[in-house]
Amino acid sequence: LAVRLAEPTSPLEEKEEDDEFDEMERKEAEQAMKMAQFRRSVYEALLPLDRGDFRWELLVPWTDKVLTRADKIIVCSTFIGIAIIMQELFDPLASVGVHLSYIAQFFSYAIGNPIGF
């Protein structure tokens, strides 16, 4: 049996691998910063609409009726589903837990009471 040992790598080759890894890490950090800036700009654009109280009707402004409990469940489920889909499209590297955390932060902010945090 002939056993072939791995050839030692030169410090130059190791440095090139480190540089590639650092470049990938830098690009991921830049992408995260861009997403954070985008979210901040959306929050700031929506801030004038904040009236300090949360009503389910906020999520369905096209209807004038008072929502029943069943309507509220449908609106909430639809909102959460659409929110997760949009977050997956805009931030595919984040986990489902992160997406759910964003949704919880929205409801926490909208209600005006940091429940669950």
Side-chain angles (χ1 to χ4, degrees):
L1 281 179
V3 177
R4 185 174 169 185
L5 299 175
E7 296 178 19
T9 58
S10 70
L12 183 59
E13 289 174 357
E14 288 178 4
K15 176 147 178 49
E16 288 174 2
E17 289 175 8
D18 288 344
D19 288 344
E20 289 175 19
F21 180 75
D22 290 342
E23 181 67 21
M24 287 174 38
E25 210 172 59
R26 186 185 62 74
K27 286 181 180 180
E28 287 178 10
E30 285 177 0
Q31 184 180 11
M33 284 294 292
K34 287 179 184 178
M35 283 305 298
Q37 289 171 345
F38 173 73
R39 280 194 307 268
R40 175 57 52 199
S41 66
V42 169
Y43 292 152
E44 289 173 359
L46 294 176
L47 194 59
L49 301 176
D50 181 25
R51 294 187 182 146
D53 60 343
F54 179 76
R55 299 181 192 273
W56 288 103
E57 290 79 6
L58 168 78
L59 300 175
V60 286
W62 54 86
T63 183
D64 292 331
K65 73 176 192 171
V66 175
L67 298 178
T68 65
R69 174 169 272 175
D71 291 338
K72 291 176 183 179
I73 291 171
I74 292 168
V75 168
C76 180
S77 301
T78 304
F79 171 79
I80 291 172
I82 291 171
I84 288 175
I85 290 169
M86 288 180 61
Q87 290 176 47
E88 275 292 323
L89 292 174
F90 287 108
D91 193 6
L93 299 176
S95 68
V96 174
V98 170
H99 296 319
L100 293 176
S101 174
Y102 289 151
I103 294 168
Q105 287 176 348
F106 165 79
F107 281 116
S108 173
Y109 175 79
I111 293 170
N113 187 1
I115 296 172
F117 288 92

